[in-house]
């Protein structure tokens, strides 16, 4: 959280040379969504401290993680689509296309396009119940994949 706060207040020193400054955005809106995402990640990290058996046994843990993952992915999609729309970079037909556009503009790294798309598909499965998302899957995602959110937050923050 400290890194994000420093980036958003302009007190961080970024060492990467490939940083692109994003123009034509509602900066307070983007900052608010990034802070929201980071707050959710902090909560999800607390859930990482719970053993698998206890996590799965208590529906509150599973449902909390599921909700936090869903709304954090939604914030990621909102940020992506806001940047694309404000800069008139096209009208993506799919979530994957949104991430491809951001990668083509060097806003996100190409290597994350498929990962972020998989996250968006996972969010759709939660929301639309295409098939039941099992509790073990939620546990494993929470244990092993939060770094993907952190990469998105860091990349977007660096480009503001």
């Amino acid at each position: 959280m400290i890194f994000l706060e420093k980036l958003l207040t302009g007190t961080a020193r970024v060492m990467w040379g490939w940083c692109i400054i994003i123009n034509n955005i509602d900066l307070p809106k983007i900052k608010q969504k990034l802070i929201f995402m980071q707050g959710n990640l902090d909560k999800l990290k607390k859930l990482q401290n719970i053993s698998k058996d206890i996590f799965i046994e208590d529906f509150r843990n599973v449902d909390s993680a599921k909700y936090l993952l869903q709304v954090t992915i939604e914030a990621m999609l909102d940020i992506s689509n806001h940047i694309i729309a404000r800069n008139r970079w096209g009208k993506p037909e799919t979530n994957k296309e949104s991430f491809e556009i951001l990668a083509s503009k060097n806003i996100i790294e190409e290597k994350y396009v498929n990962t972020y798309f998989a996250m968006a598909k996972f969010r759709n499965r939660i929301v639309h119940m295409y098939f039941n998302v099992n509790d073990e899957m939620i546990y494993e995602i929470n244990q092993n994949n939060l770094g993907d959110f952190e990469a998105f937050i860091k990349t977007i923050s660096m480009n503001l």
Side-chain angles (χ1 to χ4, degrees):
M1 185 72 151
I2 293 170
F3 178 75
L4 178 62
E5 288 172 2
K6 286 183 177 182
L7 278 172
L8 295 179
T9 60
T11 59
R13 298 290 174 248
V14 179
M15 301 293 197
W16 303 276
W18 59 271
C19 186
I20 304 294
I21 302 301
I22 303 169
N23 295 310
N24 305 320
I25 57 169
D26 182 343
L27 190 57
K29 179 179 183 175
I30 298 298
K31 286 181 177 181
Q32 178 186 29
K33 288 189 180 289
L34 289 170
I35 290 167
F36 173 75
M37 288 179 70
Q38 186 62 57
N40 289 347
L41 286 181
D42 293 343
K43 293 172 188 172
L44 286 164
K45 286 177 184 176
K46 288 180 181 177
L47 291 171
Q48 286 179 328
N49 298 324
I50 301 171
S51 73
K52 185 175 183 177
D53 291 338
I54 293 172
F55 181 90
I56 291 171
E57 181 179 299
D58 188 341
F59 72 91
R60 293 172 294 188
N61 297 324
V62 175
D63 289 352
S64 293
K66 197 183 296 184
Y67 173 77
L68 291 167
L69 289 167
Q70 173 192 328
V71 297
T72 304
I73 294 166
E74 287 171 1
M76 204 169 97
L77 292 166
D78 290 347
I79 289 168
S80 299
N81 290 321
H82 177 82
I83 292 167
I84 292 166
R86 284 291 187 101
N87 285 282
R88 297 184 176 152
W89 290 338
K91 293 182 181 178
E93 298 287 324
T94 65
N95 291 326
K96 185 172 187 177
E97 193 176 334
S98 295
F99 299 125
E100 289 171 337
I101 291 169
L102 291 183
S104 75
K105 301 295 183 181
N106 295 317
I107 302 300
I108 62 171
E109 293 181 70
E110 181 74 36
K111 69 181 183 179
Y112 286 109
V113 169
N114 288 330
T115 300
Y116 296 157
F117 178 54
M119 293 164 73
K121 288 189 338 187
F122 174 73
R123 174 249 172 226
N124 289 342
R125 287 183 6 217
I126 292 172
V127 171
H128 302 294
M129 302 177 118
Y130 289 143
F131 64 87
N132 289 334
V133 177
N134 88 30
D135 296 349
E136 286 188 20
M137 181 186 296
I138 298 296
Y139 178 81
E140 294 301 326
I141 288 170
N142 194 55
Q143 290 297 316
N144 301 312
N145 299 97
L146 298 186
D148 298 328
F149 289 112
E150 291 169 338
F152 182 86
I153 291 169
K154 185 175 182 179
T155 302
I156 298 298
S157 297
M158 286 181 350
N159 287 298
L160 295 179

